[in-house]
Amino acid sequence: MEVARSLETEDAIRILRRIRQRAPHLIEARVALAEALQRGGYSQQAESEYREIQRDRPQDRRIFYGLGRSLLAQGAYDRALAALEEAARLGETSGEFQADRAEALIWLRRYREAEAAYRLALRSNVEQVTWRLNLGISLAQLGPAERDEAEQRFREVLAMDPANTRAWEELRKLGKRF
């Protein structure tokens, strides 16, 4: 399984499917297959795999986190958030998790919660440009009281990535000159 995880996605999927057929009780192989399907852009298949595994591992936070990510990729934001909240209840706290949770929240227009989640995510990786940009977007959506900090976040993004057109656009929306 470890070798399969290091292969190109399509090769990994093929090998992990064979392992699953031969040893369907190996939960780690099934999880690895679901992760590979997600990486390969097969979100609906990944969702199916996670739901199957969930029957055997109803208290495994990795399963709910993976399920949430697959639903997020499909645009099912309310269901994604529910799965991610269950992962949080079971103890998931990683920065990537907080960023995925924040993304679901931002799509649901729950900007205050998205802001808090992006702040938690950035604690784990302050150099993550996309999270910083999305924090700025969340702040800008909260209204005039948060606009100064939103501008600051967009300018930080541009300091890290001067070619980031989305940050330039967001600054323009705030009415700021370059």
Side-chain angles (χ1 to χ4, degrees):
M1 284 186 309
E2 290 305 314
V3 171
R5 284 183 170 164
S6 67
L7 298 174
E8 292 294 320
T9 304
E10 295 300 322
D11 293 333
I13 290 170
R14 188 171 32 79
I15 290 168
L16 290 165
R17 279 189 171 143
R18 279 192 211 148
I19 293 171
R20 188 188 66 183
Q21 285 175 336
R22 291 182 183 165
H25 62 281
L26 288 177
I27 297 294
E28 291 306 316
R30 293 166 60 194
V31 171
L33 174 58
E35 290 170 350
L37 288 165
Q38 183 64 36
R39 260 192 333 271
Y42 305 106
S43 298
Q44 289 179 332
Q45 290 177 35
E47 176 191 356
S48 293
E49 290 294 326
Y50 282 121
R51 289 199 185 280
E52 246 183 70
I53 301 165
Q54 186 181 8
R55 286 183 229 138
D56 296 329
R57 301 292 284 278
Q59 297 299 311
D60 191 331
R61 70 178 184 244
R62 296 174 309 160
I63 307 311
F64 285 97
Y65 180 27
L67 177 60
R69 292 183 73 214
S70 66
L71 291 165
L72 187 60
Q74 294 175 60
Y77 305 117
D78 54 342
R79 292 183 3 218
L81 184 59
L84 293 169
E85 295 293 345
E86 184 62 19
R89 189 187 70 74
L90 294 169
E92 182 61 59
T93 60
S94 70
E96 287 284 335
F97 165 77
Q98 291 298 341
D100 289 334
R101 187 173 159 275
E103 183 179 345
L105 289 163
I106 210 168
W107 280 106
L108 294 169
R109 293 184 160 83
R110 292 168 57 180
Y111 299 112
R112 181 66 65 193
E113 293 168 88
E115 171 209 357
Y118 277 123
R119 288 185 194 280
L120 288 172
L122 283 165
R123 285 184 187 169
S124 72
N125 184 352
V126 297
E127 296 178 9
Q128 182 47 266
V129 174
T130 302
W131 300 350
R132 192 173 301 276
L133 174 68
N134 288 342
L135 173 58
I137 292 169
S138 297
L139 289 163
Q141 292 298 319
L142 291 173
E146 307 293 344
R147 290 184 87 140
D148 287 343
E149 186 181 353
E151 177 186 357
Q152 176 186 345
R153 297 299 172 212
F154 297 138
R155 292 193 185 281
E156 289 170 356
V157 167
L158 291 170
M160 298 165 82
D161 177 11
N164 191 306
T165 56
R166 182 68 190 268
W168 287 112
E169 289 171 11
E170 294 298 327
L171 272 176
R172 186 184 52 75
K173 285 180 192 176
L174 291 175
K176 300 298 178 180
R177 296 206 177 256
F178 312 123

